[in-house]
Amino acid sequence: MDTSTPAITFENIEKNFGSLKVLKGISGEINRGEVVAVIGSSGCGKSTLLRCFNRLEAIDGGRLVVNNINLSKQTLNYKQLRELRTQVGMVFQQFNLFPHLSVLENLTLAQCKVLGKTRKEGALLAGFYLEKVGVFDKASAYPEQLSGGQKQRVAIARSLCMNPQIMLFDEPTSALDPELVGEVLAVMQQLAADDGMTMVVVTHEMQFAREVAHRVMFMDQGQVVEQGSAREVLTHPQSDRLQTFLRRLNARDL
């Protein structure tokens, strides 16, 4: 792995859905081993930005390089997409587990199909990561038998089984009951602290952003309005828009 270049570089990237401009020429970098929290109101473009990093959405302008793979081109071949998806893991709001497969099968499927591992090899790695996220005892269970927090921890373990160099989290706790949020955030905190994983997290969990993220990016209307160290940005916001956003979050949590 080349540690001399950023994990993600984006320069003046744009993304449109028809006449709607969602990303309006934004630029930045994500360094290797860095945890970056992306915050902002719903509809500001933060989830779209994350999806561009994993080529779930193709950019319409600008330059985007993820783990030395150039995603600026409109089309990528199968080999390039496969390389990207093995290097960049993504955890979604709604878990996206296969309901007809057991937890163990959910974790071994891509290992066998994409990485060419045997079932035994896949099962050994799956067991390791299930234990790491605290749901080893659920290996034979099916998704419908799990709580929301357990499903999300399984989804994290599934991504880790692909040995990614970058992890993307799209509001991973937004679909969880409040009492289950902490267990998922604890796993993410462990990843950041123990494994030094490069992580980009779209989140509304300001305490997590303050304690775990190295840097916070605040987006508004398709642009990065303010960014900097997590504690500085969240404690001493400079822009009026970020100040208003944080006041609304605090009022909601009262």
Side-chain angles (χ1 to χ4, degrees), residues 59-91:
I59 63 173
D60 293 312
R63 177 174 176 267
L64 174 60
V65 179
V66 178
N67 217 34
N68 296 320
I69 302 173
N70 190 342
L71 303 187
S72 308
K73 298 178 290 186
Q74 284 297 306
T75 58
L76 295 178
N77 60 40
Y78 173 77
K79 181 180 179 181
Q80 291 169 318
L81 280 175
R82 178 172 172 168
E83 182 182 6
L84 176 70
R85 300 280 162 74
T86 58
Q87 295 178 9
V88 182
M90 188 158 183
V91 177

Side-chain angles (χ1 to χ4, degrees), residues 142-160:
Y142 286 80
E144 65 178 9
Q145 299 171 307
L146 305 178
S147 70
Q150 290 168 339
K151 290 177 184 176
Q152 195 59 290
R153 284 186 282 160
V154 168
I156 293 172
R158 180 177 60 180
S159 288
L160 292 174

Side-chain angles (χ1 to χ4, degrees), residues 63 68 90 138 153 160 178 183 217 219 226 237 254:
R63 177 174 176 267
N68 296 320
M90 188 158 183
K138 301 298 182 182
R153 284 186 282 160
L160 292 174
E183 65 187 59
M217 292 173 49
M219 291 185 63
E226 190 169 339
L254 291 176

Side-chain angles (χ1 to χ4, degrees), residues 104-245:
L104 183 62
E105 290 168 335
N106 265 281
L107 267 65
T108 57
L109 180 64
Q111 292 188 68
C112 297
K113 296 288 188 182
V114 178
L115 301 182
K117 293 186 177 181
T118 66
R119 288 187 179 183
K120 183 177 181 180
E121 290 171 334
L124 284 173
L125 193 61
F128 172 82
Y129 282 117
L130 287 173
E131 186 168 13
K132 188 178 184 71
V133 302
V135 287
F136 181 79
D137 60 329
K138 301 298 182 182
S140 61
Y142 286 80
E144 65 178 9
Q145 299 171 307
L146 305 178
S147 70
Q150 290 168 339
K151 290 177 184 176
Q152 195 59 290
R153 284 186 282 160
V154 168
I156 293 172
R158 180 177 60 180
S159 288
L160 292 174
C161 281
M162 302 301 287
N163 193 30
Q165 296 176 26
I166 301 168
M167 285 282 284
L168 309 176
F169 296 85
D170 188 7
E171 299 197 38
T173 61
S174 65
L176 302 180
D177 293 332
E179 64 269 21
L180 301 177
V181 169
E183 65 187 59
V184 173
L185 294 181
V187 169
M188 295 169 62
Q189 187 167 6
Q190 180 186 1
L191 281 177
D194 298 345
D195 297 353
M197 177 71 71
T198 303
M199 296 166 53
V200 186
V201 186
V202 170
T203 184
H204 283 106
E205 299 292 337
M206 294 301 106
Q207 184 175 351
F208 173 83
R210 185 178 290 107
E211 294 178 358
V212 180
H214 299 103
R215 190 155 49 91
V216 166
M217 292 173 49
F218 170 63
M219 291 185 63
D220 186 64
Q221 298 182 11
Q223 297 178 316
V224 177
V225 174
E226 190 169 339
Q227 63 177 310
S229 72
R231 291 186 180 275
E232 185 65 26
V233 168
L234 297 177
T235 305
H236 304 292
Q238 299 300 306
S239 66
D240 291 340
R241 282 183 280 183
L242 179 53
Q243 292 172 15
T244 300
F245 172 76

Side-chain angles (χ1 to χ4, degrees), residues 14-24 43 48 60:
E14 301 177 353
K15 178 61 186 177
N16 308 318
F17 294 107
S19 60
L20 179 63
K21 296 183 180 299
V22 180
L23 300 179
K24 303 174 182 178
T48 299
D60 293 312

